Amino acid sequence: MGFALRTNYINYYYSGMGAGLLLLTVGLSGVYFSFKRNASLVVNMTVTSKRLINLWTAFSLNIAVLYSIIILSSQPYPTPDLITFWISLITGIILWRNTIALKTLDLHSINLQAELDYRSNDSKLTILPLYLLMLALYLLYTQEAEIAQYEEHVAMLFGINLPYPQLDFIKTILMLFGAISLYKQKPIGNLIVLVACINIVLSQPLAFFLFPLLEAIKNNYPFHYFPGMWTSLLPMIPAILILQKVSTKFFISNRYE
Amino acid sequence: MNKIAFRILALAIFGIRYVSAHALPGESGWLHPLSGVDHMIAMIAVGAWSAQLGGRAIFSVPLAFVVAMFVGGVIGFTHISLPFTEKGIAVSVFLLGLAIALEHRLPIFLAIAGVGLFGICHGYAHGYEMPSMTNKYFYITGFLITTACLHLVGAIGGLLILEDKHGRIYLRLCGGIAIIIGIWLIIGLPK
């Protein structure tokens, strides 16, 4: 929405406003359901076929190759946030393919029997509220970053020409798609959750620490405020929690298989 | 299987780095198909249409487009005048969208011929717009690989959509979106 508010283009304005309002609604519902556990958000996931997983893997690898083309062609060189997105994309695909692609996410199960039923069709998926909370906090961060002119600062810092790629806008749309896929029990939902969480863990410290430091060194200033700095670490909390739960779940389930 | 996939990925990534290193600085062919909505939609639509046709078409139709792009690119480098290429590009988006939306199963040779014709228009535009300082071979390799990647996105995306219970309808709706974009491009053409 911040992006929409600062643009002169009417199509960007409406798409930005629409996406922002949708994200705000989805994010707020995530906050609500995180505090109030609701049975309707416990989704049963079915184990997907190998063919579908292979198709999604091929599709996501293809997207990764296209994104690599964009990164390697960026002038004069790719910025750290573009690189971290690429790293998280590749890491996410490899992790997803080798761990949870053919399995279900059952993050709130606490007893051994539930762990042993990991592959069963009754496995429950309760990652969604945490993921929606992460979305809401990420939206908060993008608001601060956009209003404080994040793109302009990054463009000046790295000596690149505007328009700087609207990565945050693309990322929020992708995350929203991930939330819908997760709710609809599509395997791509799991992949987007992994990529999004890894990306948030890797890229959020940039605005908090790296960019202000680089700006301070470049302009000989003391360490100071950089757009998005105050809220950049907030989405990391649910992201780390999700990754921790996924990894714990995976290792426990492997131990009993 | 995982090792093979990893090697293919590594080859793709480092291959791009190697060729880009020569194509850059300046406009590289790698980015050209991604820089315009007309090229991008047409290339994804070719892939999606091939998935809809099924069978051998899934390989032969995109391959015909890539080969025709190469021919068109070579004609473009030589700056031989080829009329109606911009119109051809805009019409290609419209017609490919129409083919997907109507789900009309053409004989494979007709599909290849039609797609080939569009491929020449797209290739010509790429070749004609090549900066004079850029290495031709790296430029052409770049835009052909990116084109193939976009075909794959369309083809695999099409197959994924068709996996769904209502996939055929969704794919036809995607064709409808391509029609709208095609009309928008045709209207926007300079008189």
Side-chain angles (χ1 to χ4, degrees):
Chain A
M1 260 198 296
F3 169 59
L5 291 171
R6 292 198 302 108
T7 186
N8 295 323
Y9 297 104
I10 201 78
N11 54 339
Y12 284 178
Y13 178 83
Y14 285 122
S15 56
M17 284 299 278
L21 284 171
L22 201 61
L23 277 173
L24 193 67
T25 316
V26 170
L28 286 176
S29 64
V31 177
Y32 174 73
F33 287 120
S34 292
F35 289 105
K36 188 187 174 188
R37 291 288 300 279
N38 190 317
S40 66
L41 273 177
V42 179
V43 180
N44 287 327
M45 265 186 90
T46 49
V47 175
T48 44
S49 71
K50 188 90 178 169
R51 175 183 153 79
L52 207 58
I53 296 299
N54 285 341
L55 279 173
W56 275 120
T57 308
F59 186 79
S60 45
L61 279 176
N62 218 342
I63 297 289
V65 171
L66 281 173
Y67 186 70
S68 309
I69 291 169
I70 295 170
I71 281 212
L72 295 168
S73 305
S74 51
Q75 296 284 344
Y77 45 79
T79 52
D81 49 349
L82 291 175
I83 296 169
T84 50
F85 189 68
W86 183 83
I87 293 170
S88 50
L89 192 61
I90 300 292
T91 319
I93 293 168
I94 293 168
L95 276 178
W96 172 75
R97 173 80 204 183
N98 290 310
T99 56
I100 57 172
L102 287 170
K103 298 174 182 178
T104 53
L105 290 170
D106 182 10
L107 300 173
H108 288 89
S109 57
I110 44 166
N111 60 47
L112 184 63
Q113 192 51 49
E115 298 296 347
L116 289 169
D117 290 344
Y118 186 59
R119 278 172 175 274
S120 77
N121 289 346
D122 296 330
S123 292
K124 287 167 184 169
L125 175 81
T126 49
I127 200 175
L128 200 55
L130 210 54
Y131 181 75
L132 292 176
L133 176 66
M134 186 182 85
L135 240 173
L137 294 173
Y138 186 73
L139 183 72
L140 198 68
Y141 157 75
T142 50
Q143 290 304 297
E144 190 204 335
E146 288 292 338
I147 289 164
Q149 302 189 331
Y150 176 85
E151 277 86 16
E152 283 80 351
H153 275 76
V154 175
M156 272 199 294
L157 184 61
F158 292 98
I160 53 177
N161 295 326
L162 285 169
Y164 180 72
Q166 299 289 340
L167 196 65
D168 283 335
F169 184 68
I170 298 164
K171 275 200 282 193
T172 39
I173 297 294
L174 257 177
M175 282 184 187
L176 185 67
F177 178 67
I180 295 165
S181 305
L182 208 60
Y183 185 71
K184 291 271 180 190
Q185 306 165 41
K186 303 286 181 197
I188 191 72
N190 287 355
L191 172 62
I192 296 177
V193 166
L194 272 185
V195 173
C197 292
I198 294 168
N199 181 249
I200 281 187
V201 170
L202 289 178
S203 69
Q204 293 308 99
L206 294 178
F208 183 75
F209 181 70
L210 187 71
F211 290 164
L213 187 73
L214 288 176
E215 204 173 53
I217 292 168
K218 190 182 175 188
N219 300 323
N220 214 6
Y221 291 154
F223 193 78
H224 63 287
Y225 173 77
F226 192 86
M229 195 177 180
W230 291 333
T231 50
S232 65
L233 295 187
L234 291 179
M236 277 181 74
I237 301 163
I240 291 169
L241 275 173
I242 291 171
L243 286 176
Q244 184 252 330
K245 279 167 184 269
V246 170
S247 54
T248 311
K249 175 70 199 167
F250 179 72
F251 287 124
I252 290 173
S253 68
N254 265 10
R255 198 180 300 159
Y256 292 107
E257 267 181 12
Chain B
M1 179 62 201
N2 286 339
K3 279 183 183 172
I4 295 167
F6 180 75
R7 279 176 194 166
I8 292 169
L9 182 69
L11 190 69
I13 292 160
F14 290 109
I16 288 163
R17 177 68 272 181
Y18 174 75
V19 180
S20 289
H22 291 272
L24 295 172
E27 167 69 23
S28 74
W30 295 92
L31 214 53
H32 201 275
L34 299 170
S35 59
V37 73
D38 46 358
H39 294 308
M40 211 159 72
I41 299 289
M43 287 156 192
I44 292 172
V46 167
W49 191 36
S50 69
Q52 198 181 44
L53 290 171
R56 276 189 305 157
I58 204 159
F59 300 106
S60 50
V61 172
L63 189 68
F65 191 91
V66 172
V67 172
M69 280 270 294
F70 175 76
V71 176
V74 171
I75 299 169
F77 293 150
T78 50
H79 284 249
I80 295 169
S81 179
L82 207 64
F84 310 120
T85 44
E86 284 302 318
K87 287 187 179 70
I89 290 168
V91 169
S92 73
V93 177
F94 174 77
L95 289 179
L96 284 164
L98 196 68
I100 296 168
L102 294 177
E103 211 180 1
H104 189 65
R105 294 189 185 276
L106 286 177
I108 198 163
F109 68 91
L110 263 179
I112 288 173
V115 156
L117 193 68
F118 298 144
I120 289 177
C121 294
H122 285 268
Y124 181 82
H126 281 70
Y128 195 83
E129 289 164 16
M130 186 189 81
S132 55
M133 296 299 283
T134 309
N135 185 320
K136 280 180 189 173
Y137 301 108
F138 291 124
Y139 188 86
I140 206 161
T141 312
F143 78 67
L144 287 181
I145 290 177
T146 309
T147 302
C149 280
L150 285 170
H151 288 331
L152 278 172
V153 167
I156 301 168
L159 288 174
L160 279 167
I161 292 172
L162 289 172
E163 286 282 317
D164 195 90
K165 197 166 61 178
H166 307 293
R168 282 178 61 190
I169 299 164
Y170 294 152
L171 197 58
R172 292 179 73 175
L173 283 173
C174 291
I177 294 168
I179 291 175
I180 295 166
I181 295 169
I183 292 170
W184 174 63
L185 289 169
I186 293 166
I187 291 168
L189 281 171
K191 297 278 182 270

